[in-house]
């Protein structure tokens, strides 16, 4: 059996007296997509931030390639190859594609104090990187980021992370604000990243998107891992149900049914 | 470069403003071009303003504002005049003291801005008012006067305050030099990329490993020191320093920078734009003497120009954002 790229063992996270994450154990392998599902407030953001080095776990262990790791700050995680792509962030609308691709890691030419930003190389590399992910519409590195569609921006951000050596790619709701077509672009890119052997953690609350790309699924409810299963083990309805709090939804259904049986088929008045 | 490419650049609005103002003066106001092009007044004005407007513009690109320059200009000239004029110390000590004062106030502005969540407009408003008080009190306490004479030696005059050809202040050369240095740094070197990233999205820039705090503090030091530099040069040139003056620079610099195509909220702009914006501002406010328009109208022209330039800049920025080289037919 191969060693997982990233593993969490019984990770807990509390903010003061409030426990946010309870005994989370997860593994992500290279070339696999782990879908992290959960409703708002389930603790997804806290979990991502713990993975990305923003928060430190209160207890529990994080391992990379089987070795325990401790991230003091986000840069530690980045240096180990954990890259987070946020829903909107990470891109600068009024900068060109080439310039924003290399922010903080600008290629230069010349020598000594006369090193100048190598715009031509930057543009070429950026365009090539994003085109290799199948986004062929981006072909001019001098275009401004703000002129790209939401899907193209996400794709560019993912291509950037992969270009700079990401081994674990954390995608925080990349498809949330996108239309159907745009979302399918992003999903294609997720699959491409997986094909390249990157471990992808894909956060979403859109079950359809998760099922399209996921190999493993983990459902978070109130900070605890409510379910963990492989592709094909659960149906879409079961997953949706789990995300909404599982039994709560089933109970509501049963309650309404009982009510209707005793009230000549009329549903109950909505509670105000 | 095609016309479309030109319009998408940050400085396009400034260039068009400059052309429009020049045409207006020549065609409708009967500008005396012969006298105007030979006159030094507007070039001197532009140079003094420009040295301050450049770092103020860079700060605006970074998403910050520094209005303390209004007090730092007289502070610079009073420092050199008190140290070297009143106390008779070597001029080099006075010059260094003036520049050091700029560094200190810049550090205060910068550190307060990155450490607190108070907008830099308010922080520099506070240092503006505070510095005015300090300069006036120190001047009266130390010299008993609000105006101090300074007799600078020849080498200092040659470097910082002399008239070339009888009319042109040599600070013009400093202005051109600073513009060239800023241009290379901002548009040709990685640090320029950091600046635009900082102004575009501070959190993302920090995540990308850019030392955003150090960059912000550095820019505040640059603007405060540039202001004391201008004040210091003025004192050396005119052989005296006054505690008043300098307040006009705040608005003049902001107008120049905004006309120059810098986005008030940060992340967009260019050194060339700030340079041309300053030139345009100087031509309107000083060039009006060479036309048949009463000079009292110049503020109206500046107001209209500011509004038109900002509207143009917005339109051009939208064009730049929606620009795509070849639209493909599918999706």
């Amino acid at each position: 059996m191969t060693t997982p790229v990233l593993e969490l063992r019984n990770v807990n996270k509390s903010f003061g007296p409030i426990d946010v994450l309870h005994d989370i154990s997860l593994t992500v392998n290279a070339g696999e997509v782990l879908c992290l599902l959960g409703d708002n407030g389930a603790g997804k953001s806290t979990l991502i931030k713990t993975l990305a080095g923003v928060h430190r776990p209160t207890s529990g262990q994080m391992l990379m390639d089987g070795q325990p790791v401790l991230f003091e700050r986000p840069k530690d995680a980045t240096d180990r190859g954990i890259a987070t792509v946020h829903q909107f962030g990470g891109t600068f609308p009024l900068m060109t594609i080439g310039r924003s691709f290399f922010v903080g890691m600008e290629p230069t030419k010349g020598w000594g104090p006369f090193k100048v930003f190598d715009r031509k190389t930057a543009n070429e590399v950026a365009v090539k990187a994003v085109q290799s992910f199948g986004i062929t519409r981006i072909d001019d590195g001098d275009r401004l980021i703000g002129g790209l569609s939401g899907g193209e921006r996400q794709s560019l951000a993912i291509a950037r992370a992969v270009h700079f050596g990401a081994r674990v790619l954390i995608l925080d709701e990349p498809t949330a604000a996108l239309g159907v077509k745009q979302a399918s672009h992003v999903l294609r890119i997720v699959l491409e990243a997986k094909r390249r052997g990157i471990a992808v953690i894909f956060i979403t609350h859109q079950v359809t998107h998760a099922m399209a790309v996921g190999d493993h699924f983990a459902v978070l409810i109130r900070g605890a891992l409510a379910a963990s299963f492989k592709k094909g083990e659960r149906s879409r309805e079961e997953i949706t149900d789990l995300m909404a709090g599982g039994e709560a939804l089933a109970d509501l259904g049963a309650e309404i049914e009982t009510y209707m049986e005793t009230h000549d088929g009329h549903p109950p008045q909505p509670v105000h | 470069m095609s016309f479309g490419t030109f319009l998408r650049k940050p400085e396009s609005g400034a260039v068009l403003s400059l052309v429009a103002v020049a045409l207006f003066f020549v065609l409708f106001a009967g500008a005396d071009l012969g006298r105007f092009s030979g006159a030094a007044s507007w070039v001197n004005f532009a140079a003094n303003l420009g040295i301050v407007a450049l770092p103020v513009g860079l700060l605006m690109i970074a998403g910050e504002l520094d209005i303390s320059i209004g007090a730092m200009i007289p502070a610079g000239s009073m420092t050199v005049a008190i140290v070297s004029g009143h106390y008779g110390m070597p001029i080099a000590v006075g010059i260094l003291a003036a520049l050091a004062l700029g560094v200190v106030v810049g550090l205060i502005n910068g550190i307060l801005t990155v450490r607190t969540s108070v907008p830099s407009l308010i922080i520099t408003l506070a240092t503006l008012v505070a510095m005015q008080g300090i300069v006036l009190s120190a001047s009266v306490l130390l010299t008993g006067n609000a105006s101090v004479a300074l007799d600078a030696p020849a080498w200092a005059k040659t470097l910082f305050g002399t008239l070339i050809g009888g009319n042109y202040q040599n600070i013009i050369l400093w202005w051109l030099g600073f513009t060239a240095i800023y241009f290379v740094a901002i548009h040709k070197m990685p640090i320029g990329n950091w600046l635009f990233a900082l102004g575009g999205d501070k959190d993302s820039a920090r995540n990308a490993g850019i030392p955003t705090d150090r960059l912000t503090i550095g820019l505040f030091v640059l603007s405060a020191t540039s202001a004391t530099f201008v004040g210091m040069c003025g004192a050396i040139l005119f052989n005296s320093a006054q505690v008043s003056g300098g307040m006009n620079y705040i608005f003049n610099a902001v107008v120049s920078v905004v006309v120059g195509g810098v986005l008030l909220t940060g992340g967009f702009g260019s050194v060339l734009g700030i340079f041309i914006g300053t030139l345009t501002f100087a031509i309107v406010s000083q060039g009006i003497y060479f036309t048949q328009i009463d000079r009292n109208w110049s503020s109206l022209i500046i107001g209209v120009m500011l509004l038109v330039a900002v509207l143009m800049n917005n339109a051009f920025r939208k064009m730049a954002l929606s620009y795509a080289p070849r639209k493909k037919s599918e999706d």
Side-chain angles (χ1 to χ4, degrees):
Chain A
M1 199 198 140
T2 52
T3 323
V5 179
L6 184 66
E7 185 176 357
L8 296 189
R9 282 188 195 157
N10 300 316
V11 166
N12 285 281
K13 177 68 197 172
S14 315
F15 295 103
I18 302 155
D19 300 328
V20 183
L21 298 178
H22 309 279
D23 286 330
I24 306 281
S25 297
L26 283 175
T27 56
V28 207
N29 294 315
E32 278 189 3
V33 179
L34 168 72
C35 287
L36 201 57
L37 301 154
D39 205 0
N40 293 340
K44 284 178 301 186
S45 310
T46 310
L47 182 55
I48 304 166
K49 283 180 179 164
T50 309
L51 292 172
V54 179
H55 300 319
R56 264 195 281 172
T58 313
S59 67
Q61 246 189 334
M62 280 173 69
L63 298 97
M64 277 194 88
D65 306 310
Q67 301 293 317
V69 286
L70 187 66
F71 301 141
E72 301 277 349
R73 58 186 76 80
K75 201 175 174 304
D76 293 344
T78 318
D79 288 346
R80 295 296 297 257
I82 299 181
T84 314
V85 173
H86 295 284
Q87 194 178 335
F88 303 109
T91 49
F92 309 96
L94 289 165
M95 287 175 79
T96 67
I97 290 169
R99 276 180 173 271
S100 90
F101 194 88
F102 283 98
V103 159
M105 288 168 255
E106 292 80 4
T108 52
K109 57 182 179 188
W111 48 269
F114 303 107
K115 282 202 183 80
V116 295
F117 177 71
D118 190 350
R119 175 174 142 265
K120 196 161 161 277
T121 309
N123 285 357
E124 277 172 11
V125 173
V127 167
K128 217 169 133 193
V130 70
Q131 287 202 340
S132 76
F133 273 92
I135 303 292
T136 48
R137 287 190 63 212
I138 296 180
D139 53 6
D140 181 355
D142 274 333
R143 273 176 72 186
L144 297 186
I145 296 285
L148 303 178
S149 71
E152 287 169 340
R153 276 205 221 187
Q154 282 290 336
S155 310
L156 188 65
I158 295 171
R160 179 178 193 273
V162 172
H163 179 83
F164 288 109
R167 297 180 58 222
V168 179
L169 194 56
I170 303 172
L171 305 177
D172 186 7
E173 310 229 359
T175 56
L178 302 181
V180 180
K181 188 156 198 166
Q182 297 283 332
S184 73
H185 279 316
V186 173
L187 294 177
R188 275 220 305 272
I189 284 177
V190 171
L191 289 175
E192 172 62 21
K194 170 188 158 179
R195 198 188 62 78
R196 294 189 189 188
I198 292 162
V200 182
I201 301 177
F202 182 64
I203 291 97
T204 184
H205 51 232
Q206 276 152 307
V207 181
T208 335
H209 294 164
M211 294 192 70
V213 294
D215 298 304
H216 283 266
F217 299 85
V219 183
L220 271 184
I221 295 178
R222 292 197 201 114
L225 213 53
S228 176
F229 48 90
K230 283 190 181 136
K231 190 176 187 168
E233 286 181 357
R234 300 280 176 102
S235 74
R236 176 180 308 178
E237 287 72 24
E238 284 173 312
I239 301 174
T240 315
D241 223 35
L242 269 168
M243 281 172 63
E247 296 92 314
L249 206 62
D251 284 355
L252 189 63
E255 209 173 280
I256 293 172
E257 245 169 57
T258 331
Y259 186 94
M260 282 166 72
E261 272 168 26
T262 52
H263 290 80
D264 304 323
H266 293 295
Q269 290 292 313
V271 185
H272 290 288
Chain B
M1 186 166 73
S2 74
F3 188 62
T5 317
F6 162 71
L7 284 187
R8 285 191 299 274
K9 296 212 171 261
E11 57 269 14
S12 54
V15 173
L16 292 184
S17 304
L18 181 62
V19 171
V21 163
L23 281 180
F24 178 76
F25 274 12
V26 171
L27 295 180
F28 299 105
D32 188 340
L33 274 181
R35 269 178 62 221
F36 174 75
S37 54
S41 63
W42 65 277
V43 193
N44 291 339
F45 181 89
N48 281 283
L49 176 59
I51 289 177
V52 182
L54 282 163
V56 167
L58 299 188
L59 265 173
M60 202 183 277
I61 294 176
E64 307 291 351
L65 206 55
D66 182 4
I67 62 169
S68 70
I69 51 160
M72 292 316 291
I73 291 170
S77 59
M78 284 309 287
T79 305
V80 68
I82 291 174
V83 170
S84 299
H86 185 72
Y87 289 111
M89 297 224 243
I91 189 76
V93 177
I95 292 169
L96 285 178
L99 297 180
L101 182 69
V103 173
V104 169
V105 175
L107 281 175
I108 294 173
N109 285 335
I111 290 171
L112 283 177
T113 300
V114 299
R115 290 282 160 82
T116 67
S117 55
V118 180
S120 50
L121 172 69
I122 304 301
I123 289 172
T124 56
L125 177 63
T127 45
L128 168 76
V129 178
M131 280 311 292
Q132 280 180 318
I134 290 175
V135 170
L136 183 57
S137 310
S139 169
V140 172
L141 271 177
L142 299 175
T143 70
N145 213 326
S147 166
V148 180
L150 169 72
D151 192 14
W155 70 266
K157 284 213 167 251
T158 313
L159 266 179
F160 301 110
T162 189
L163 295 172
I164 304 167
N167 287 319
Y168 295 96
Q169 297 175 12
N170 65 347
I171 202 170
I172 297 167
L173 298 175
W174 284 100
W175 177 41
L176 297 176
F178 282 134
T179 306
I181 293 170
Y182 286 130
F183 178 82
V184 172
I186 300 308
H187 298 291
K188 298 291 171 198
M189 290 169 83
I191 197 167
N193 220 28
W194 301 0
L195 174 68
F196 288 106
L198 167 65
D201 184 344
K202 197 191 279 181
D203 290 330
S204 300
R206 190 180 293 126
N207 287 340
I210 291 168
T212 51
D213 287 355
R214 288 217 316 265
L215 194 56
T216 309
I217 295 172
L219 287 167
F220 274 108
V221 170
L222 207 57
S223 71
T225 313
S226 299
T228 55
F229 178 85
V230 168
M232 180 266 290
C233 290
I236 291 176
L237 174 66
F238 297 116
N239 301 320
S240 79
Q242 284 82 34
V243 288
S244 60
M247 291 303 273
N248 280 338
Y249 274 86
I250 301 172
F251 299 105
N252 295 356
V254 171
V255 172
S256 303
V257 165
V258 172
V259 168
V262 176
L263 185 59
L264 196 63
T265 46
F268 197 66
S270 72
V271 171
L272 200 57
I274 301 169
F275 179 84
I276 298 170
T278 311
L279 212 55
T280 313
F281 185 88
I283 288 174
V284 175
S285 62
Q286 301 297 306
I288 198 152
Y289 292 110
F290 301 97
T291 67
Q292 283 150 17
I293 308 171
D294 187 273
R295 69 142 314 197
N296 294 336
W297 291 104
S298 72
S299 291
L300 172 71
I301 299 176
I302 288 170
V304 171
M305 180 185 77
L306 178 65
L307 211 55
V308 171
V310 170
L311 289 174
M312 271 199 300
N313 288 335
N314 278 345
F316 294 151
R317 198 163 48 245
K318 245 180 223 144
M319 274 177 57
L321 280 174
S322 59
Y323 159 74
R326 298 181 281 280
K327 215 56 177 187
K328 298 217 173 113
S329 49
E330 87 261 23
D331 72 59

